[in-house]
């Protein structure tokens, strides 16, 4: 095999490249691939038709492949239609004020209290507002090449980078801003990798396949983009492992006991995998952030920037790109919420509460990043030879 191009620690993380590739390929990738196919994880609730708050919409898509097919009402699980799995939000909120609630908490802080509808402070959408939400079967709408390019796509990325997370010019940029930039850049790399992985090679014959020159030109040629992909992967993985207690207890209920048991078992296999726990016990160390004097203000500022990024997703002019853009930004927002919970205004550590849709976004994002890391690792060391020969 060709020599490894990336060695040593992933910048600003706590695991090295070799370990990340090993745990990804041996543990996470196979589990996640199975997990996202199960009913609980394949139906994502999303508001796809929002007005773009920034520019009049001009981003029309060239290919039919841009459009998303929604699920008919009878397709997605019955449980998803009921917002709270039988528990009213009031009953849960009220518990907080009652004396027995204190007992509950001290006896078993790990007990999962049912899915709630809470707003994510890192995103622009109001997640508690169900109006105009539709369910999309993600398995029928894979993230791949759509033909969405040109000024509209460029304007979105430019505005994300320029207005919200300018590339760190030098050492004087603080860790936190650098982390936000790297998260977005890593997500951007992952989107490009998926375009290269599943590309329309010949429109006349509808031939789809890998486009390795594109993978090279957009991602592999720039070591920083590869590094940021690994960074984002480890960041999201850390959020998942940090939420272990919550995710282990959660109800993966879709009305089909066989599927639901499988979901629960795969989630546990992932969270408690001995190889993951020993080889990379702390993928990212969030305790190092927000330590400076201006930590709280900085957190607010960065939260606002991330919310702006999430609002920009409504301006993505191709429906399928918008779907995956919104899902992955919600996934990142969920990771940010878990790691820097929960209230952006204070350092109060509220107990973690996640919405079902946040968990769906989080695992689907981790799966996408895991696919990208795998493809980059497989092609990374050999591709330069291939490109030179062409
Ligand atoms: P772009 O990818 O548009 O990049 C623009 C500029 O950003 C580059 O010139 C470079 O300066 C910088 N840049 C590129 N990558 C990075 C990085 N990793 N880190 C830092 N800076 C970088 N197209 C599809 O075919 N399928 C999709 O599913 C899809 N989803 C999308 C989702 C979103 C949210 C957005 C905004 C766009 C999506 N697109 C999708 C479009 C796609 O991302 C590209 O914009 C498009 O293919 C044109 O690519 P490009 O070569 O012009 O460079």
């Amino acid at each position: 095999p060709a020599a490894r191009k990336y060695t040593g620690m992933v910048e600003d993380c706590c695991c090295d490249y070799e370990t990340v590739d090993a745990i990804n390929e041996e543990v996470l990738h196979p589990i996640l691939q199975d997990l996202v196919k199960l009913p609980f994880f394949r139906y994502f609730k999303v508001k796809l038709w929002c007005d773009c708050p920034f520019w009049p919409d001009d981003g029309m898509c060239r290919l039919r492949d841009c459009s998303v097919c929604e699920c008919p009402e009878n397709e997605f699980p019955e449980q998803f239609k009921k917002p709270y799995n039988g528990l009213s939000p009031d009953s849960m909120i009220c518990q907080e004020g009652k004396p027995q609630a204190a007992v509950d908490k001290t006896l078993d802080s790990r007990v999962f209290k049912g899915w709630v509808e809470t707003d994510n402070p890192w995103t622009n959408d109001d997640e508690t507002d169900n109006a105009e939400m539709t369910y999309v079967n993600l398995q029928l709408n894979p993230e791949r090449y759509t033909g969405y390019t040109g000024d509209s796509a460029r304007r979105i990325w430019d505005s994300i980078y320029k207005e919200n997370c300018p590339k760190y010019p030098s050492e004087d940029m603080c860790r936190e801003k650098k982390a936000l930039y790297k998260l977005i850049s890593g997500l951007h790399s992952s989107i490009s990798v998926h375009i290269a992985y599943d590309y329309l090679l010949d429109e006349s014959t509808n031939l789809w396949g890998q486009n390795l020159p594109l993978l090279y030109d957009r991602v592999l040629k720039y070591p920083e983009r590869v590094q940021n992909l690994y960074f984002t992967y480890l960041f999201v993985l850390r959020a998942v492992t940090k939420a272990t207690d919550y995710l282990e207890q959660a109800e993966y209920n879709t009305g089909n006991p066989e599927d639901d048991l499988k979901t629960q078992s795969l989630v546990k296999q992932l969270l408690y995998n001995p190889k993951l726990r020993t080889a990379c016990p702390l993928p990212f160390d969030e305790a190092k952030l927000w330590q400076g004097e201006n930590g709280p203000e900085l957190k607010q500022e960065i939260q606002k920037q991330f919310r702006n990024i999430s609002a920009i997703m409504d301006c993505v002019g191709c429906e399928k790109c918008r779907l995956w853009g919104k899902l992955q930004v919600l996934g990142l927002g969920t990771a940010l919420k878990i790691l820097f919970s929960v209230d952006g205004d204070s350092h109060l550590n509220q107990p973690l509460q996640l919405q079902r849709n946040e968990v769906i976004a989080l695992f689907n994002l981790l799966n996408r990043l895991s696919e990208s890391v795998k493809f980059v690792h497989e092609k990374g060391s050999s591709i330069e030879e291939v490109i030179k020969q062409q």
Side-chain angles (χ1 to χ4, degrees), residues 35-77:
L35 202 57
V36 296
K37 292 190 183 84
L38 288 161
F40 182 88
F41 284 106
R42 72 171 178 249
Y43 297 101
F44 180 62
K45 192 172 77 168
V46 62
K47 200 183 276 187
L48 280 177
W49 303 274
C50 306
D51 290 333
C52 163
F54 304 106
W55 312 285
D57 183 29
D58 66 352
M60 291 317 293
C61 212
R62 207 167 60 83
L63 295 180
R64 265 189 63 213
D65 209 69
C66 282
S67 56
V68 165
C69 47
E70 293 163 44
C71 298
E73 266 277 313
N74 59 359
E75 190 192 319
F76 56 88

Side-chain angles (χ1 to χ4, degrees), residues 4 6-9 16-23:
R4 287 190 66 91
Y6 297 92
T7 53
M9 281 287 168
D16 59 62
Y17 284 95
E18 291 88 337
T19 306
V20 176
D21 290 326
I23 54 168

Side-chain angles (χ1 to χ4, degrees), residues 20 24 57 93-94 128-129 139 150 192 240 276 285 299 310 332:
V20 176
N24 187 45
D57 183 29
I93 292 162
C94 285
T128 63
D129 174 11
Q139 292 296 305
S192 303
V240 168
L276 172 63
D285 187 2
K299 196 191 272 184
S310 104
L332 277 184

